[in-house]
Protein backbone atom coordinates (compact mmCIF):
# COMPACT_ATOMS: atom_id res chain seq x y z
CA UNK A 1 0.00 0.00 0.00
CA UNK A 2 1.21 3.46 -0.83
CA UNK A 3 1.55 6.30 1.61
CA UNK A 4 1.71 9.99 0.86
CA UNK A 5 3.94 12.26 2.91
CA UNK A 6 2.17 15.44 3.93
CA UNK A 7 3.43 18.46 2.08
CA UNK A 8 2.71 22.07 2.78
CA UNK A 9 0.19 23.24 0.26
CA UNK A 10 1.37 25.99 -2.04
CA UNK A 11 -1.79 28.02 -1.69
CA UNK A 12 -3.82 27.28 1.46
CA UNK A 13 -7.56 27.44 1.21
CA UNK A 14 -8.41 31.04 1.81
CA UNK A 15 -11.75 30.55 3.49
CA UNK A 16 -13.52 28.20 5.84
CA UNK A 17 -16.16 27.77 3.12
CA UNK A 18 -13.46 26.35 0.82
CA UNK A 19 -12.40 23.91 3.52
CA UNK A 20 -16.00 22.88 4.09
CA UNK A 21 -16.55 22.35 0.36
CA UNK A 22 -13.45 20.19 0.20
CA UNK A 23 -14.68 18.02 3.05
CA UNK A 24 -17.99 17.55 1.24
CA UNK A 25 -16.04 16.35 -1.80
CA UNK A 26 -14.15 13.88 0.40
CA UNK A 27 -17.39 12.50 1.79
CA UNK A 28 -18.81 12.06 -1.71
CA UNK A 29 -15.63 10.30 -2.88
CA UNK A 30 -15.54 7.94 0.12
CA UNK A 31 -19.23 7.12 -0.24
CA UNK A 32 -18.69 6.29 -3.93
CA UNK A 33 -15.70 4.12 -3.01
CA UNK A 34 -17.93 2.21 -0.60
CA UNK A 35 -20.24 1.37 -3.53
CA UNK A 36 -17.22 0.33 -5.60
CA UNK A 37 -16.04 -1.89 -2.75
CA UNK A 38 -19.35 -3.74 -2.75
CA UNK A 39 -19.19 -4.10 -6.53
CA UNK A 40 -15.66 -5.52 -6.38
CA UNK A 41 -16.67 -8.02 -3.71
CA UNK A 42 -19.55 -9.16 -5.91
CA UNK A 43 -17.25 -9.33 -8.91
CA UNK A 44 -14.83 -11.60 -7.08
CA UNK A 45 -17.72 -13.69 -5.71
CA UNK A 46 -19.04 -14.15 -9.25
CA UNK A 47 -15.70 -15.63 -10.29
CA UNK A 48 -15.04 -17.61 -7.11
CA UNK A 49 -15.24 -21.00 -8.85
CA UNK A 50 -12.62 -19.98 -11.39
CA UNK A 51 -10.50 -18.53 -8.60
CA UNK A 52 -10.66 -21.80 -6.66
CA UNK A 53 -9.49 -23.67 -9.73
CA UNK A 54 -6.54 -21.36 -10.31
CA UNK A 55 -3.44 -20.34 -8.42
CA UNK A 56 -5.02 -16.95 -7.74
CA UNK A 57 -7.38 -17.94 -4.92
CA UNK A 58 -4.99 -16.75 -2.20
CA UNK A 59 -4.47 -13.47 -4.02
CA UNK A 60 -8.25 -13.00 -4.23
CA UNK A 61 -8.60 -13.71 -0.49
CA UNK A 62 -5.90 -11.15 0.23
CA UNK A 63 -7.65 -8.57 -1.97
CA UNK A 64 -10.98 -9.24 -0.23
CA UNK A 65 -9.29 -8.68 3.13
CA UNK A 66 -7.86 -5.46 1.70
CA UNK A 67 -11.32 -4.30 0.68
CA UNK A 68 -12.68 -5.08 4.14
CA UNK A 69 -9.79 -3.22 5.78
CA UNK A 70 -10.27 -0.20 3.51
CA UNK A 71 -14.00 -0.26 4.22
CA UNK A 72 -13.32 0.04 7.95
CA UNK A 73 -10.82 2.85 7.31
CA UNK A 74 -13.43 4.58 5.15
CA UNK A 75 -15.95 4.46 8.00
CA UNK A 76 -13.36 5.89 10.39
CA UNK A 77 -12.49 8.64 7.90
CA UNK A 78 -16.15 9.57 7.51
CA UNK A 79 -16.40 9.94 11.30
CA UNK A 80 -13.26 12.12 11.38
CA UNK A 81 -14.56 14.25 8.51
CA UNK A 82 -17.94 14.62 10.22
CA UNK A 83 -16.27 15.80 13.43
CA UNK A 84 -14.10 18.16 11.40
CA UNK A 85 -17.22 19.54 9.67
CA UNK A 86 -18.78 20.32 13.03
CA UNK A 87 -15.70 22.37 13.93
CA UNK A 88 -15.75 24.08 10.53
CA UNK A 89 -19.41 24.95 11.07
CA UNK A 90 -18.50 26.55 14.38
CA UNK A 91 -15.77 28.52 12.64
CA UNK A 92 -18.28 29.67 10.03
CA UNK A 93 -20.39 31.01 12.89
CA UNK A 94 -17.29 32.84 14.22
CA UNK A 95 -16.98 30.53 17.21
CA UNK A 96 -13.49 29.19 18.03
CA UNK A 97 -11.75 31.85 15.96
CA UNK A 98 -8.65 31.57 18.12
CA UNK A 99 -8.39 27.88 17.26
CA UNK A 100 -8.67 28.31 13.48
CA UNK A 101 -5.00 27.40 12.92
CA UNK A 102 -5.57 24.08 14.73
CA UNK A 103 -8.56 23.32 12.55
CA UNK A 104 -6.60 24.13 9.41
CA UNK A 105 -3.77 21.83 10.53
CA UNK A 106 -6.30 19.10 11.28
CA UNK A 107 -7.78 19.65 7.82
CA UNK A 108 -4.39 19.07 6.22
CA UNK A 109 -3.89 15.85 8.21
CA UNK A 110 -7.31 14.53 7.21
CA UNK A 111 -6.55 15.47 3.61
CA UNK A 112 -3.41 13.29 3.72
CA UNK A 113 -5.44 10.41 5.18
CA UNK A 114 -8.11 10.76 2.49
CA UNK A 115 -5.47 10.88 -0.25
CA UNK A 116 -3.81 7.73 1.12
CA UNK A 117 -7.18 6.00 1.41
CA UNK A 118 -8.05 6.78 -2.21
CA UNK A 119 -4.63 5.69 -3.48
CA UNK A 120 -4.74 2.43 -1.53
CA UNK A 121 -8.22 1.67 -2.80
CA UNK A 122 -7.21 2.38 -6.38
CA UNK A 123 -4.30 -0.05 -5.99
CA UNK A 124 -6.64 -2.79 -4.70
CA UNK A 125 -9.15 -2.05 -7.44
CA UNK A 126 -6.45 -2.29 -10.10
CA UNK A 127 -5.30 -5.65 -8.72
CA UNK A 128 -8.86 -7.01 -8.72
CA UNK A 129 -9.49 -5.84 -12.28
CA UNK A 130 -6.28 -7.48 -13.46
CA UNK A 131 -7.19 -10.72 -11.68
CA UNK A 132 -10.74 -10.84 -13.05
CA UNK A 133 -9.50 -9.91 -16.52
CA UNK A 134 -7.06 -12.84 -16.39
CA UNK A 135 -9.86 -15.19 -15.35
CA UNK A 136 -12.14 -13.90 -18.10
CA UNK A 137 -9.41 -14.38 -20.71
CA UNK A 138 -8.79 -17.92 -19.47
CA UNK A 139 -12.53 -18.67 -19.59
CA UNK A 140 -12.72 -17.32 -23.12
CA UNK A 141 -9.72 -19.43 -24.14
CA UNK A 142 -11.24 -22.57 -22.60
CA UNK A 143 -14.60 -21.83 -24.22
CA UNK A 144 -12.96 -21.41 -27.65
CA UNK A 145 -11.00 -24.64 -27.20
CA UNK A 146 -14.11 -26.61 -26.24
CA UNK A 147 -15.98 -25.46 -29.34
Amino acid sequence: MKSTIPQKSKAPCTSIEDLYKKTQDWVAEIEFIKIEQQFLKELLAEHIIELCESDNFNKAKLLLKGIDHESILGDDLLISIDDHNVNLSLLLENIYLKREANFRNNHELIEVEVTNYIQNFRFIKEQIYELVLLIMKNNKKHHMLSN
Side-chain angles (χ1 to χ4, degrees), residues 48 51-62 131:
I48 195 70
L51 286 167
C52 289
E53 295 171 351
S54 73
D55 297 331
N56 294 312
F57 183 71
N58 288 332
K59 183 176 182 180
K61 279 181 20 181
L62 185 64
L131 183 60

Side-chain angles (χ1 to χ4, degrees), residues 14-68:
T14 56
S15 70
I16 301 304
E17 290 86 3
D18 291 340
L19 296 177
Y20 187 78
K21 170 68 172 105
K22 197 166 205 172
T23 61
Q24 296 306 307
D25 293 343
W26 295 341
V27 169
E29 181 73 20
I30 293 170
E31 302 238 341
F32 183 73
I33 286 174
K34 292 194 136 321
I35 294 168
E36 285 183 300
Q37 289 168 340
Q38 291 302 315
F39 172 77
L40 293 173
K41 284 178 154 179
E42 291 295 322
L43 186 62
L44 286 175
E46 177 141 338
H47 293 284
I48 195 70
I49 293 172
E50 294 95 340
L51 286 167
C52 289
E53 295 171 351
S54 73
D55 297 331
N56 294 312
F57 183 71
N58 288 332
K59 183 176 182 180
K61 279 181 20 181
L62 185 64
L63 291 169
L64 282 171
K65 285 182 182 179
I67 289 174
D68 288 338

Side-chain angles (χ1 to χ4, degrees), residues 39-40 43-44 46-47 50-51 54 56 59-60 63 124-142:
F39 172 77
L40 293 173
L43 186 62
L44 286 175
E46 177 141 338
H47 293 284
E50 294 95 340
L51 286 167
S54 73
N56 294 312
K59 183 176 182 180
L63 291 169
I124 291 171
K125 182 168 61 170
E126 178 183 353
Q127 296 300 307
I128 291 173
Y129 284 160
E130 287 175 0
L131 183 60
V132 171
L133 184 61
L134 177 69
I135 291 168
M136 293 170 87
K137 284 180 179 179
N138 287 339
N139 284 348
K140 187 175 179 179
K141 192 183 304 180
H142 287 300

Side-chain angles (χ1 to χ4, degrees), residues 89-114:
S89 296
L90 292 172
L91 277 175
L92 284 170
E93 298 296 323
N94 294 324
I95 303 171
Y96 292 147
L97 280 179
K98 292 181 181 179
R99 297 175 60 193
E100 182 175 344
N102 292 342
F103 295 132
R104 287 183 181 276
N105 288 338
N106 187 42
H107 185 87
E108 288 179 17
L109 293 174
I110 294 173
E111 184 171 28
V112 168
E113 289 180 30
V114 169

